Amino acid sequence: MRQIRVGIFGVSGKMGSEVVRAVNRAEDMTTSGGVDINEDRAQVGRAEVVVDFTHPDAVMDNIRWCLERDIHMVIGTTGFTEERVAEVRALVEQHPGVGVLIASNFSIGAVLMMKFAAMAAPFYPSAEIVELHHPNKADAPSGTSRTTARRIAAARAQAGLEDVPDATVHDDGARGAVVEGIHVHGVRLQGLVAHQEVLFGETGETLTIRHDSFDRISFMPGVLEAVRYVLANPGLTLEMEEVLGL
């Protein structure tokens, strides 16, 4: 069986280490090397696909380096604004044979949670998000919560809903960040991994959609599927729905 050669950026991190173990367990893949930030990226050897779990400050340069060498990428590093996505799209267009996938979350449950949230959004006037992560996470709100909020906002707009009702005048920051009209509350706490609640409200009822990742191994089935996907699908792919056929 042909084995896909996979390199890892951020190889010593908690996610990078888990990727190494997952790739080594997969029958159709093998690791071809890995590096951390500020190390020589050539150490990924003859990688066909590089998986990037580094840092928002490093990922854009990593993308340029890989595209210049026609190496496909699967990116779990967060911090992708609309401007950054547009820049990546332009870079990918210059290398039409290369596939790049950027996902805010590789957990199958988290992908379904975001889909269910978008489905529920048109039916509830109130919507808020609480995201909970370990204290070493670099960004807040999380990439998953931002993606969820944008999808809720899009579904609400399509349904013609008005702004989320909120009479707060003074909050001292207690109402959290606002992503396209949706309040997002971030918790950073030792002992957590990655968790998110999406709360919807209507008169007389609430709906809560919650996903919990208790171990980083929960992200690995999605990462491996993404590695297989980018080899056969050049261009820029955002999020995991296409990979999972949703």
Side-chain angles (χ1 to χ4, degrees):
M1 177 184 294
R2 174 181 163 336
Q3 290 190 315
I4 304 167
R5 300 185 301 277
V6 181
I8 300 96
F9 286 168
V11 68
S12 297
K14 291 182 178 179
M15 284 296 292
S17 300
E18 201 64 60
V19 172
V20 172
R21 288 189 285 270
V23 168
N24 287 337
R25 287 193 298 265
E27 293 184 358
D28 60 341
M29 298 182 194
T30 185
T31 55
S32 67
V35 297
D36 291 313
I37 294 175
N38 297 325
E39 292 184 343
D40 183 3
R41 285 171 291 206
Q43 293 180 63
V44 297
R46 297 176 58 248
E48 298 171 86
V49 181
V50 162
V51 177
D52 188 307
F53 281 102
T54 54
H55 191 277
D57 292 342
V59 67
M60 294 302 295
D61 194 47
N62 289 342
I63 293 170
R64 297 185 192 95
W65 188 90
C66 285
L67 290 177
E68 288 170 359
R69 291 156 179 80
D70 291 331
I71 300 173
H72 307 274
M73 290 195 78
V74 170
I75 302 169
T77 303
T78 55
F80 279 92
T81 61
E82 292 183 7
E83 292 76 16
R84 279 195 163 193
V85 170
E87 184 178 351
V88 175
R89 193 182 303 278
L91 289 169
V92 171
E93 287 174 356
Q94 298 173 28
H95 302 271
V98 182
V100 174
L101 183 145
I102 302 171
S104 53
N105 201 310
F106 289 92
S107 161
I108 308 303
V111 174
L112 291 171
M113 175 264 295
M114 289 187 277
K115 185 174 182 65
F116 296 156
M119 292 171 63
F123 299 96
Y124 292 90
S126 289
E128 303 217 358
I129 298 171
V130 181
E131 55 97 346
L132 309 94
H133 287 81
H134 56 89
N136 295 323
K137 187 169 181 57
D139 58 332
S142 68
T144 300
S145 65
R146 287 184 180 277
T147 299
T148 308
R150 293 188 186 108
R151 292 183 180 181
I152 290 172
R156 288 173 60 87
Q158 188 171 7
L161 294 186
E162 297 179 355
D163 292 343
V164 172
D166 182 8
T168 306
V169 177
H170 303 290
D171 67 12
D172 285 336
R175 295 290 289 119
V178 180
V179 179
E180 298 193 18
I182 307 300
H183 285 269
V184 181
H185 309 268
V187 176
R188 296 293 176 268
L189 195 70
Q190 196 74 38
L192 297 176
V193 177
H195 317 261
Q196 180 168 294
E197 288 186 354
V198 187
L199 301 96
F200 294 102
E202 173 60 289
T203 303
E205 72 166 359
T206 62
L207 170 66
T208 300
I209 303 171
R210 178 172 176 123
H211 175 260
D212 298 277
S213 284
F214 299 107
D215 192 296
R216 289 170 179 82
I217 197 172
S218 65
F219 305 114
M220 294 305 110
V223 170
L224 298 184
E225 284 303 311
V227 167
R228 299 178 183 111
Y229 181 88
V230 292
L231 280 173
N233 293 273
L236 178 61
T237 300
L238 297 177
E239 304 300 337
M240 289 289 292
E241 280 75 11
E242 290 182 36
V243 178
L244 301 177
L246 297 176

